[in-house]
Amino acid sequence: MPKIKSFEEYFKEYEAWFDKNPSIYQSELEALRSQLPEGGTGLEIGVGSGRFAGPLGIKTGVDPSAGMRTLAETRGIKTVNAKAEELPFDDASFDYVMMVTTICFLDDVMASFREAYRVLRAPGVLIVGFIDKDSFLGKQYQDKKSGNKFYQCATFYSVREVLQLTQEAGFKRLNFVQTLFADIHSIKTIQPFKKGYGQGGFVVIKAQKN
């Protein structure tokens, strides 16, 4: 079952986090923007409140949380009640698919990547933004997850784990960027993003369908 209970109950609190942490949000947003293709039709899986899809020009999103979908629709996003593992779209429907801090809440990450592969037109791309389990930030999240209403049921992944899953799902030509290089409580300005992984707490992987 999708891990949506906390998001249904506290979706307004989740949304308020972005207003309270604008530098972190903008840092992640710009890292994601750097990996998006120019033009084409996009889909966000786990669209949430539309905080990323909206400014990045993605017009369609799926999410199992009714509260989150309501917020996303206020940002002009067409939302669909669906799980990442069972997308209600035809094969080759999109030019790119994005997932942001979504994989940690999924029941089956591999199934979601295979679904993303299915609905992509070749040579479309999958863009996955996530907290690297092996980073200093990932370790902070894991240490405090039991007391966090949103992340207590999350499963965090390392870059190598996500890399393996994307490759097993059939994706090739992977590219990495990273951001958030300081303690999350000390970030007061937009952090730059740079290529690779291993230093930043937030990593974006772009992987291409053959």
Side-chain angles (χ1 to χ4, degrees):
M1 293 291 290
K3 303 176 179 69
I4 63 171
K5 185 174 184 291
S6 294
F7 294 97
E8 286 283 63
E9 294 180 3
Y10 306 109
F11 64 90
K12 291 183 179 179
E13 184 175 333
Y14 179 84
E15 175 71 354
W17 181 91
F18 293 96
D19 295 323
K20 294 177 181 177
N21 299 276
S23 296
I24 297 171
Y25 164 55
Q26 289 293 332
S27 299
E28 295 177 345
L29 184 65
E30 293 310 311
L32 290 160
R33 193 191 305 277
S34 74
Q35 298 306 295
L36 258 62
E38 293 185 10
T41 304
L43 167 72
E44 183 174 4
I45 298 173
V47 69
S49 64
R51 278 282 186 165
F52 293 100
L56 294 176
I58 298 174
K59 301 299 184 183
T60 305
V62 300
D63 203 288
S65 168
M68 288 294 188
R69 293 197 309 274
T70 298
L71 291 174
E73 287 169 0
T74 67
R75 294 189 164 96
I77 300 163
K78 179 183 177 182
T79 67
V80 180
N81 178 14
K83 299 193 303 179
E85 298 91 342
E86 298 176 20
L87 297 176
F89 304 107
D90 293 336
D91 295 358
S93 294
F94 299 94
D95 297 299
Y96 60 97
V97 173
M98 185 175 75
M99 304 170 74
V100 186
T101 57
T102 295
I103 60 173
C104 58
F105 298 110
L106 300 181
D107 293 326
D108 191 334
V109 177
M110 174 59 77
S112 75
F113 285 175
R114 285 176 173 157
E115 274 291 86
Y117 192 94
R118 180 184 66 79
V119 302
L120 277 169
R121 303 183 187 106
V125 294
L126 170 67
I127 298 125
V128 185
F130 63 103
I131 301 297
D132 177 9
K133 180 179 72 175
D134 290 342
S135 70
F136 69 96
L137 183 58
K139 292 173 182 176
Q140 286 181 349
Y141 270 68
Q142 290 176 92
D143 290 343
K144 298 177 181 179
K145 64 179 286 188
S146 61
N148 185 294
K149 60 173 63 75
F150 298 107
Y151 286 102
Q152 59 186 351
C153 61
T155 301
F156 294 98
Y157 295 89
S158 68
V159 174
R160 294 187 182 280
E161 288 172 325
V162 179
L163 171 60
Q164 181 177 349
L165 289 167
T166 53
Q167 290 176 324
E168 289 180 4
F171 290 97
K172 306 291 184 182
R173 297 183 64 183
L174 276 72
N175 185 62
F176 307 86
V177 296
Q178 56 188 322
T179 188
L180 303 185
F181 302 100
D183 182 274
I184 198 166
H185 300 295
S186 67
I187 296 176
K188 304 301 180 185
T189 59
I190 298 176
Q191 298 265 290
F193 61 85
K194 63 181 182 179
K195 293 181 180 180
Y197 62 90
Q199 296 174 297
F202 183 77
V203 176
V204 181
I205 294 179
K206 179 170 72 173
Q208 188 175 66
K209 177 175 180 175
N210 286 341

Coordinates of all heavy atoms in Angstrom, one line a residue, residues 3 7 14 17-18 24-25 28 32 44-49 51-52 63 68 98-106 127-132 137 141 150-151 154-157 180 201-204:
K3 N 2.5 4.7 1.0 CA 2.7 5.3 2.3 C 2.2 6.7 2.3 O 3.0 7.7 2.3 CB 4.1 5.2 2.7 CG 4.7 3.7 2.7 CD 6.2 3.7 3.0 CE 6.7 2.3 3.0 NZ 6.7 1.7 1.6
F7 N 0.7 12.1 4.7 CA 0.5 13.1 3.7 C -1.0 13.5 3.6 O -1.3 14.7 3.4 CB 1.0 12.7 2.4 CG 2.5 12.5 2.3 CD1 3.1 11.2 2.5 CD2 3.3 13.6 2.2 CE1 4.4 11.1 2.5 CE2 4.7 13.4 2.2 CZ 5.3 12.2 2.3
Y14 N 3.1 19.8 5.4 CA 4.1 19.5 4.4 C 4.3 20.6 3.4 O 5.5 21.0 3.2 CB 3.7 18.2 3.6 CG 4.7 17.8 2.6 CD1 5.8 17.0 2.9 CD2 4.5 18.1 1.3 CE1 6.7 16.6 2.0 CE2 5.4 17.7 0.3 CZ 6.5 17.0 0.6 OH 7.4 16.6 -0.3
W17 N 6.4 23.5 4.8 CA 7.8 23.3 4.9 C 8.6 24.1 3.8 O 9.7 24.6 4.0 CB 8.2 21.8 4.8 CG 9.6 21.5 4.9 CD1 10.3 21.2 6.1 CD2 10.6 21.5 3.9 NE1 11.6 21.0 5.8 CE2 11.8 21.1 4.5 CE3 10.5 21.7 2.5 CZ2 13.0 21.0 3.7 CZ3 11.7 21.6 1.7 CH2 12.9 21.2 2.4
F18 N 8.0 24.1 2.6 CA 8.7 24.8 1.5 C 8.8 26.3 1.7 O 9.8 26.9 1.3 CB 8.0 24.5 0.2 CG 8.0 23.0 -0.2 CD1 7.0 22.2 0.1 CD2 9.1 22.6 -1.0 CE1 7.0 20.8 -0.3 CE2 9.2 21.2 -1.4 CZ 8.1 20.4 -1.0
I24 N 16.6 25.7 0.6 CA 16.7 24.3 0.3 C 15.9 23.9 -0.9 O 16.3 23.2 -1.8 CB 16.3 23.4 1.6 CG1 17.3 23.7 2.7 CG2 16.3 21.9 1.2 CD1 16.8 23.1 4.0
Y25 N 14.6 24.4 -0.9 CA 13.7 24.1 -2.0 C 14.3 24.6 -3.3 O 14.3 23.9 -4.3 CB 12.4 24.7 -1.6 CG 11.4 24.9 -2.8 CD1 11.1 23.8 -3.6 CD2 10.9 26.1 -3.1 CE1 10.2 23.9 -4.7 CE2 10.0 26.3 -4.2 CZ 9.7 25.2 -5.0 OH 8.8 25.3 -6.0
E28 N 17.2 22.5 -4.6 CA 16.7 21.2 -5.2 C 16.1 21.5 -6.6 O 16.3 20.8 -7.6 CB 15.8 20.5 -4.3 CG 16.4 20.0 -3.0 CD 15.4 19.4 -2.0 OE1 14.2 19.6 -2.2 OE2 15.9 18.7 -1.1
L32 N 17.3 20.0 -10.3 CA 16.3 19.3 -11.2 C 16.2 19.9 -12.5 O 16.2 19.3 -13.6 CB 15.0 19.2 -10.5 CG 14.9 18.3 -9.3 CD1 13.7 18.6 -8.4 CD2 14.8 16.8 -9.7
E44 N 5.1 14.0 -13.8 CA 5.8 13.8 -12.4 C 5.0 12.7 -11.7 O 3.8 12.8 -11.5 CB 5.8 15.1 -11.6 CG 6.5 14.8 -10.3 CD 6.8 16.0 -9.4 OE1 6.3 17.1 -9.7 OE2 7.5 15.8 -8.4
I45 N 5.8 11.7 -11.3 CA 5.2 10.6 -10.5 C 5.5 11.0 -9.0 O 6.6 11.3 -8.6 CB 5.9 9.3 -10.8 CG1 5.7 8.9 -12.2 CG2 5.5 8.2 -9.9 CD1 6.5 7.7 -12.7
G46 N 4.4 11.0 -8.2 CA 4.5 11.5 -6.9 C 4.5 13.0 -6.9 O 5.4 13.6 -6.3
V47 N 3.5 13.6 -7.6 CA 3.6 15.0 -7.8 C 3.4 15.8 -6.6 O 3.8 17.0 -6.5 CB 2.5 15.4 -8.9 CG1 1.1 15.2 -8.4 CG2 2.7 16.8 -9.4
G48 N 2.8 15.2 -5.5 CA 2.6 15.9 -4.3 C 1.8 17.2 -4.5 O 0.7 17.2 -5.2
S49 N 2.2 18.3 -3.9 CA 1.5 19.6 -4.0 C 1.8 20.3 -5.3 O 1.4 21.5 -5.4 CB 1.8 20.4 -2.8 OG 3.2 20.8 -2.7
R51 N 4.9 21.5 -6.1 CA 5.9 22.4 -5.9 C 7.1 22.3 -6.9 O 7.7 23.3 -7.2 CB 6.5 22.2 -4.5 CG 5.7 22.9 -3.4 CD 5.9 24.4 -3.3 NE 5.3 25.0 -2.2 CZ 5.6 26.2 -1.8 NH1 6.5 26.9 -2.4 NH2 4.9 26.8 -0.8
F52 N 7.3 21.2 -7.4 CA 8.3 21.0 -8.4 C 7.7 21.0 -9.9 O 8.3 21.7 -10.7 CB 9.1 19.7 -8.2 CG 9.9 19.8 -6.9 CD1 9.5 19.2 -5.8 CD2 11.1 20.5 -6.9 CE1 10.2 19.2 -4.6 CE2 11.9 20.6 -5.7 CZ 11.4 19.9 -4.5
D63 N -0.5 11.0 -8.1 CA -0.3 10.9 -6.7 C -1.5 10.2 -6.0 O -2.6 10.5 -6.4 CB -0.1 12.3 -6.1 CG 0.7 12.3 -4.8 OD1 0.1 11.8 -3.7 OD2 1.8 12.7 -4.8
M68 N -2.9 16.1 -1.4 CA -1.8 16.6 -2.2 C -2.3 16.9 -3.6 O -1.9 18.0 -4.2 CB -0.7 15.6 -2.3 CG 0.1 15.4 -1.0 SD 1.0 16.9 -0.6 CE 2.0 16.3 0.8
M98 N 9.6 12.6 -14.2 CA 10.3 13.0 -13.0 C 9.8 12.5 -11.7 O 8.5 12.3 -11.6 CB 10.3 14.6 -13.0 CG 11.2 15.2 -11.9 SD 11.2 17.0 -11.9 CE 9.6 17.4 -11.3
M99 N 10.6 12.1 -10.8 CA 10.3 11.7 -9.5 C 11.2 12.4 -8.5 O 12.4 12.3 -8.6 CB 10.5 10.1 -9.4 CG 9.7 9.3 -10.4 SD 10.2 7.6 -10.4 CE 9.4 7.0 -8.9
V100 N 10.6 13.1 -7.5 CA 11.3 13.9 -6.5 C 11.0 13.4 -5.1 O 9.8 13.5 -4.7 CB 11.1 15.4 -6.7 CG1 12.0 16.2 -5.8 CG2 11.3 15.8 -8.1
T101 N 11.9 13.0 -4.4 CA 11.7 12.5 -3.0 C 10.5 11.6 -3.0 O 9.7 11.6 -2.0 CB 11.6 13.6 -2.0 OG1 10.6 14.5 -2.3 CG2 12.9 14.3 -1.9
T102 N 10.4 10.7 -4.0 CA 9.2 9.8 -4.1 C 9.6 8.4 -3.8 O 8.9 7.6 -3.2 CB 8.6 9.9 -5.5 OG1 8.1 11.2 -5.7 CG2 7.5 8.9 -5.7
I103 N 10.8 8.0 -4.3 CA 11.2 6.5 -4.2 C 11.2 6.0 -2.8 O 11.0 4.8 -2.6 CB 12.5 6.2 -5.0 CG1 13.7 7.0 -4.4 CG2 12.4 6.5 -6.5 CD1 15.0 6.6 -5.0
C104 N 11.5 6.9 -1.8 CA 11.6 6.4 -0.5 C 10.3 6.0 0.1 O 10.2 5.4 1.2 CB 12.3 7.5 0.4 SG 11.5 9.1 0.5
F105 N 9.2 6.4 -0.5 CA 7.8 6.1 0.0 C 7.2 5.0 -0.9 O 6.0 4.7 -0.6 CB 7.0 7.3 -0.1 CG 7.5 8.4 0.8 CD1 8.0 9.6 0.3 CD2 7.4 8.3 2.2 CE1 8.5 10.6 1.1 CE2 7.9 9.3 3.1 CZ 8.4 10.5 2.5
L106 N 7.9 4.4 -1.8 CA 7.2 3.4 -2.7 C 7.4 2.0 -2.1 O 8.3 1.7 -1.4 CB 7.9 3.4 -4.1 CG 7.8 4.8 -4.8 CD1 8.4 4.6 -6.2 CD2 6.3 5.2 -5.0
I127 N 14.1 11.3 -14.6 CA 14.8 12.2 -13.7 C 14.4 11.9 -12.3 O 13.2 12.0 -12.0 CB 14.6 13.7 -14.0 CG1 15.1 14.0 -15.5 CG2 15.3 14.6 -13.0 CD1 14.0 14.6 -16.3
V128 N 15.3 11.4 -11.5 CA 15.0 11.0 -10.1 C 15.8 11.9 -9.1 O 17.0 11.8 -9.1 CB 15.4 9.5 -9.9 CG1 14.9 9.1 -8.5 CG2 14.7 8.6 -10.9
G129 N 15.1 12.6 -8.3 CA 15.7 13.4 -7.2 C 15.5 12.7 -5.9 O 14.4 12.4 -5.6
F130 N 16.5 12.6 -5.1 CA 16.4 11.8 -3.8 C 17.5 12.2 -2.8 O 18.5 12.7 -3.2 CB 16.4 10.3 -4.1 CG 17.6 9.8 -4.6 CD1 18.6 9.1 -3.8 CD2 17.9 9.9 -6.0 CE1 19.7 8.6 -4.4 CE2 19.1 9.5 -6.5 CZ 20.0 8.8 -5.7
I131 N 17.2 11.9 -1.6 CA 18.2 12.1 -0.5 C 19.2 10.8 -0.6 O 18.7 9.7 -0.4 CB 17.6 12.2 0.8 CG1 16.7 13.4 0.9 CG2 18.7 12.3 1.9 CD1 17.4 14.8 0.7
D132 N 20.4 11.0 -0.8 CA 21.4 9.9 -0.8 C 21.6 9.4 0.6 O 22.1 10.1 1.5 CB 22.7 10.5 -1.4 CG 23.8 9.4 -1.4 OD1 23.5 8.2 -1.1 OD2 25.0 9.8 -1.7
L137 N 23.6 14.1 4.9 CA 22.1 14.5 5.1 C 21.3 13.2 5.2 O 20.4 13.2 6.0 CB 21.7 15.3 3.9 CG 20.3 15.8 3.9 CD1 20.0 16.7 5.1 CD2 20.0 16.7 2.6
Y141 N 18.7 12.2 8.2 CA 17.3 11.8 8.0 C 17.0 10.5 8.7 O 16.0 10.2 9.3 CB 17.0 11.8 6.6 CG 16.5 13.1 6.0 CD1 17.3 14.2 5.9 CD2 15.2 13.2 5.5 CE1 16.9 15.4 5.4 CE2 14.7 14.4 5.0 CZ 15.6 15.5 4.9 OH 15.2 16.7 4.4
F150 N 6.5 12.4 8.5 CA 6.6 12.1 7.1 C 7.6 11.0 6.7 O 7.3 10.1 5.9 CB 6.9 13.3 6.3 CG 5.9 14.4 6.4 CD1 6.1 15.6 7.2 CD2 4.6 14.3 5.8 CE1 5.2 16.6 7.3 CE2 3.6 15.3 6.0 CZ 4.0 16.4 6.7
Y151 N 8.7 11.0 7.4 CA 9.8 10.0 7.0 C 9.9 8.8 7.9 O 10.7 8.0 7.6 CB 11.1 10.8 7.0 CG 11.3 11.7 5.8 CD1 11.1 13.1 5.9 CD2 11.5 11.2 4.5 CE1 11.2 13.9 4.8 CE2 11.7 12.0 3.4 CZ 11.5 13.4 3.6 OH 11.6 14.2 2.5
A154 N 9.7 5.9 5.7 CA 10.5 5.9 4.5 C 11.6 4.9 4.5 O 12.2 4.6 5.5 CB 11.0 7.4 4.3
T155 N 12.0 4.5 3.3 CA 13.2 3.7 3.0 C 14.1 4.5 2.1 O 13.8 4.8 1.0 CB 12.8 2.4 2.3 OG1 11.9 1.6 3.1 CG2 14.1 1.5 2.1
F156 N 15.3 4.9 2.7 CA 16.2 5.7 1.9 C 17.2 4.8 1.1 O 17.5 3.7 1.5 CB 17.0 6.6 2.9 CG 16.2 7.6 3.6 CD1 15.7 7.4 4.9 CD2 15.9 8.8 2.9 CE1 14.9 8.4 5.5 CE2 15.1 9.7 3.5 CZ 14.6 9.5 4.8
Y157 N 17.6 5.3 0.0 CA 18.5 4.6 -0.9 C 19.8 5.3 -1.2 O 19.8 6.6 -1.2 CB 17.8 4.3 -2.2 CG 16.6 3.5 -2.1 CD1 15.3 4.0 -1.8 CD2 16.7 2.1 -2.3 CE1 14.2 3.2 -1.7 CE2 15.5 1.3 -2.1 CZ 14.3 1.8 -1.8 OH 13.2 1.0 -1.7
L180 N 23.1 20.7 -2.0 CA 22.9 20.6 -0.5 C 24.2 20.1 0.1 O 24.3 18.9 0.5 CB 21.7 19.8 0.0 CG 20.4 20.3 -0.6 CD1 19.2 19.5 0.0 CD2 20.1 21.8 -0.3
G201 N 23.9 16.2 -0.4 CA 22.9 15.3 0.2 C 21.7 15.0 -0.7 O 21.1 14.0 -0.6
F202 N 21.5 15.9 -1.7 CA 20.4 15.7 -2.6 C 21.0 15.4 -4.0 O 21.8 16.2 -4.5 CB 19.5 17.0 -2.7 CG 18.3 16.8 -3.6 CD1 17.2 16.1 -3.2 CD2 18.3 17.4 -4.8 CE1 16.1 16.0 -4.1 CE2 17.2 17.3 -5.7 CZ 16.1 16.6 -5.3
V203 N 20.7 14.3 -4.6 CA 21.2 13.9 -5.8 C 20.1 13.7 -6.9 O 19.0 13.3 -6.6 CB 22.0 12.5 -5.7 CG1 22.5 12.0 -7.0 CG2 23.1 12.6 -4.7
V204 N 20.4 14.1 -8.1 CA 19.5 14.0 -9.2 C 20.2 13.1 -10.3 O 21.3 13.3 -10.7 CB 19.2 15.3 -9.9 CG1 18.2 15.1 -11.0 CG2 18.6 16.3 -8.9

